[in-house]
Amino acid sequence: MNDFNYHKAATIDEAVNVVNENPRAAYLAGGTNIIDLWKYNIISPELLMDVNQLGEGIIETSDGIRLSAFITNSATAWHPLIEERYPLLSKAILAGASAQIRNMATNGGNLLQRTRCYYFYDPNVPCNKREPGSGCSAKEGYNRIHAILGASEQCIAVFPSDMCVALAALGAVLNVSGSAGNRSISFNDFHRLPGDTPQLDNNLLHDEIITSIDLPSKGFATNYSYLKLRDRHSYAFALVSVATGLDLEDNIIKEARIALGGVAHKPWRVIAAEEYLVGKAPTAENFAIAAEIILQGAISFKYNAFKIELSKRAIVRNCLMALDPSSQLPGSQPSA
Amino acid sequence: MENFRQINLLVNKQPYTLAIKPYVSLLDALRDYLDLTGTKKGCDHGQCGACTVLVNGNRVLSCITLAVMKDGAEITTIEGIDHPLQNTFIEHDAFQCGYCTPGQICSAIGMLREGKAHSRAEVAELMSGNLCRCGASMQIIDAIMEVKSGGSNE
Ligand SMILES: Cc1cc2nc3c(=O)[nH]c(=O)nc-3n(C[C@H](O)[C@H](O)[C@H](O)COP(=O)(O)OP(=O)(O)OC[C@H]3O[C@@H](n4cnc5c(N)ncnc54)[C@H](O)[C@@H]3O)c2cc1C
Ligand code: FES
Ligand code: FES
């Protein structure tokens, strides 16, 4: 663990300017991931730029809601506008981590949390994500929690966020600021697949800061569900999670959104499966066909083959739960 | 002093001024600088909840919080708590070794203040960030349910 400098940012511009000038500077939000990584000697920042005080809350825009990146996951999940209009997001956030961690973790930090691959966390073994070119210990190792979709020869780690699975399903847009100016990034273009550059989790540049997250007006608040399957009922990362939003009319699906978590290097959405469901009845049979489409091309490793069938069943169960959102229970207990 | 910061903390209603390095966690600041050893270090990685304290009334993990981030904040640790939970924990045998207890009590007070737990299942879910290695979790929930006003025990 190295010594580091600390600075409380007064403005976004100040934060960006200082981080831009120092390749070993990083933004500090809730600290729940970055301080942990520093304690494990996975990162050694020279300067932490505290951005917690830059939050602007949650505001209504002409076509949806804008969430500050700097407010906590708790404040977001329990906000009346989110509970009412985007309950899928609320449920997904509340399925993650613990109440204390959600009180600290921010929306921006959640998007940038690193993988929980044990080999990434162990500086004594090769890991291409931590040390490009060193190799991937997970491929031949204990890979029970690892990817079944979109992995590469270099890396089979998964992205562990729950919140981001809902943001993917909702089609959120991220607003970022950097020394080169401001830009917006659609959610699907934010996180990356590992490919040959597994050290890059996302497309954010070093000095860029996420300032807010835009949610489109359509929140799927009538028919939605988030299902998280894990090794204990609560306070554990997802083995597989599913976010579903359905728009139904006369028992026919007008629009469907399905995103998977815990299975790939980014939240996994397959548009062809969502399109397949349009115009169909919301039945287990149709959801099972959508699940087959989503899992097309899935590849398992020695210890995670169970995840393929688990994902398919989770998709069907969660889509059926979306027909009656009250069937979701706290934790991952069986639905009513 | 190079890279030392002066910060002010109001801990259990008492003001303190500390000169510390930015890397000192709030947990170490409380235990090692202020001698308030009631708050426990379990995992030091955010995984167990033993280090839970209240910062401006909110329950957070002091092991993965930097003390400098809380300059000017009001902090409550187990030493500053006088709450009916302390009695119901005893009545319900809600501990064995007691190592998780300060964190459990701070967390439960934070949870009651949040006001989001309306049933026993919701209390269990919202207390899941506090592990009890001695397996007293059921009794801990019992002790909280007794204090919780208007809560059903289902
Ligand atoms: C024991 C434990 C269990 C957990 N379980 C879950 C779980 O089940 N599900 C889940 O989803 N998560 C889980 N988490 C992870 C947790 O949700 C993340 O650590 C948290 O969301 C990170 O947010 P933060 O604000 O604390 O980020 P920080 O740790 O402060 O920062 C994380 C990264 O984001 C960068 N950053 C922060 N804000 C910005 C910004 N606005 N712009 C640009 N960069 C920024 C930082 O530089 C850093 O690289 C768990 C964590 C722990 C410790
Ligand atoms: S010591 Fe802080 S969570 Fe375990
Ligand atoms: S009483 Fe021993 S860990 Fe909870």
Side-chain angles (χ1 to χ4, degrees):
Chain A
M1 289 186 281
N2 63 300
D3 198 357
F4 54 76
N5 234 309
Y6 168 89
H7 191 82
K8 230 184 210 13
T11 62
I12 287 172
D13 284 349
E14 185 203 4
V16 168
N17 286 338
V18 174
V19 169
N20 183 41
E21 276 162 21
N22 185 344
R24 286 184 56 204
Y27 299 111
L28 169 67
T32 61
N33 194 215
I34 196 168
I35 292 174
D36 194 32
L37 290 167
W38 165 76
K39 285 190 182 189
Y40 279 115
N41 280 321
I42 307 303
I43 56 167
S44 45
E46 214 163 65
L47 168 76
L48 291 182
M49 175 60 71
D50 189 342
V51 296
N52 281 289
Q53 53 296 332
L54 302 177
E56 280 171 358
I58 293 178
I59 52 170
E60 286 192 78
T61 58
S62 54
D63 50 359
I65 293 270
R66 175 164 289 182
L67 299 175
S68 167
F70 311 111
I71 58 172
T72 65
N73 285 176
S74 295
T76 306
W78 298 120
H79 194 284
L81 277 175
I82 303 302
E83 285 188 304
E84 194 186 308
R85 289 171 56 184
Y86 304 92
L88 176 61
L89 178 60
S90 187
K91 290 275 183 199
I93 293 174
L94 295 175
S98 69
Q100 291 98 312
I101 292 170
R102 296 190 297 266
N103 279 348
M104 307 165 69
T106 62
N107 296 333
N110 195 308
L111 294 160
L112 287 150
Q113 61 176 295
R114 314 270 348 241
T115 185
R116 292 281 159 170
C117 171
Y118 345 99
Y119 303 103
F120 172 72
Y121 261 86
D122 180 353
N124 301 311
V125 300
C127 167
N128 285 325
K129 184 179 275 300
R130 184 170 24 78
E131 210 183 313
S134 63
C136 172
S137 303
K139 271 194 309 181
E140 305 299 327
Y142 187 57
N143 42 37
R144 182 167 177 276
I145 65 169
H146 290 78
I148 51 172
L149 288 160
S152 72
E153 275 299 302
Q154 273 67 41
C155 179
I156 64 170
V158 302
F159 176 60
S161 166
D162 290 294
M163 178 183 189
C164 289
V165 185
L167 291 177
L170 291 168
V173 173
L174 309 177
N175 300 309
V176 313
S177 289
S179 50
N182 301 337
R183 62 178 177 135
S184 297
I185 309 173
S186 73
F187 204 79
N188 192 43
D189 296 332
F190 182 70
H191 293 105
R192 300 166 60 99
L193 288 179
D196 291 329
T197 50
Q199 69 276 20
L200 302 177
D201 295 347
N202 55 62
N203 290 315
L204 209 62
L205 303 174
H206 167 71
D207 63 297
E208 279 183 319
I209 186 168
I210 303 174
T211 55
S212 63
I213 302 168
D214 286 340
L215 302 177
S217 61
K218 197 161 185 175
F220 298 92
T222 310
N223 291 110
Y224 68 92
S225 182
Y226 187 73
L227 176 65
K228 180 177 180 185
L229 301 175
R230 42 193 152 164
D231 285 327
R232 54 186 185 203
H233 277 326
S234 187
Y235 204 14
F237 287 95
L239 288 166
V240 170
S241 71
V242 192
T244 299
L246 297 174
D247 184 1
L248 299 171
E249 205 177 279
D250 298 331
N251 209 36
I252 293 295
I253 298 170
K254 276 176 65 189
E255 191 175 356
R257 300 281 177 83
I258 303 172
L260 290 189
V263 295
H265 204 258
K266 62 189 284 187
W268 197 257
R269 238 184 105 181
V270 177
I271 304 300
E274 296 175 5
E275 284 173 349
Y276 165 80
L277 287 171
V278 175
K280 306 259 181 349
T283 61
E285 293 70 31
N286 286 330
F287 293 137
I289 293 171
E292 289 297 333
I293 299 172
I294 293 169
L295 271 296
Q296 253 167 31
I299 292 172
S300 62
F301 300 87
K302 187 169 176 192
Y303 295 100
N304 70 352
F306 74 98
K307 274 193 174 188
I308 297 178
E309 183 61 23
L310 188 67
S311 299
K312 292 178 185 173
R313 294 186 192 195
I315 291 168
V316 174
R317 176 173 152 200
N318 194 53
C319 289
L320 291 173
M321 283 163 68
L323 302 178
D324 175 12
S326 70
S327 59
Q328 298 166 79
L329 294 175
S332 61
Q333 297 166 44
S335 44
Chain B
M1 284 189 292
E2 201 213 338
N3 201 19
F4 276 78
R5 300 305 160 91
Q6 187 163 309
I7 62 164
N8 297 305
L9 300 175
L10 189 66
V11 185
N12 303 329
K13 304 219 154 54
Q14 192 154 332
Y16 294 92
T17 298
L18 279 176
I20 52 166
K21 289 225 172 193
Y23 65 68
V24 176
S25 68
L26 179 60
L27 176 60
D28 288 346
L30 292 168
R31 289 181 56 87
D32 300 344
Y33 289 71
L34 302 182
D35 252 355
L36 292 167
T37 54
T39 307
K40 299 297 181 240
K41 183 181 282 192
C43 63
D44 211 20
H45 288 286
Q47 299 179 357
C48 74
C51 65
T52 304
V53 297
L54 298 165
V55 175
N56 300 328
N58 296 315
R59 47 178 171 160
V60 299
L61 301 176
S62 60
C63 72
I64 46 176
T65 299
L66 302 177
V68 283
M69 294 167 76
K70 300 301 168 193
D71 185 14
E74 185 174 344
I75 291 153
T76 307
T77 67
I78 192 68
E79 289 92 341
I81 283 170
D82 180 11
H83 192 280
L85 275 169
Q86 286 157 302
N87 288 326
T88 60
F89 263 63
I90 292 170
E91 282 161 21
H92 287 273
D93 251 339
F95 48 83
Q96 198 178 111
C97 76
Y99 200 80
C100 72
T101 314
Q104 299 278 4
I105 289 179
C106 288
S107 184
I109 291 172
M111 184 195 65
L112 294 171
R113 181 176 176 270
E114 289 158 11
K116 302 296 181 189
H118 305 296
S119 64
R120 190 180 169 95
E122 285 173 354
V123 169
E125 168 64 21
L126 292 173
M127 285 298 295
S128 70
N130 293 84
L131 307 185
C132 176
R133 205 50 213 276
C134 297
S137 301
M138 290 303 143
Q139 290 90 318
I140 291 167
I141 309 295
D142 291 342
I144 297 170
M145 291 309 290
E146 184 168 336
V147 164
K148 223 174 90 54
S149 52
S152 88
N153 201 31
E154 290 315 304

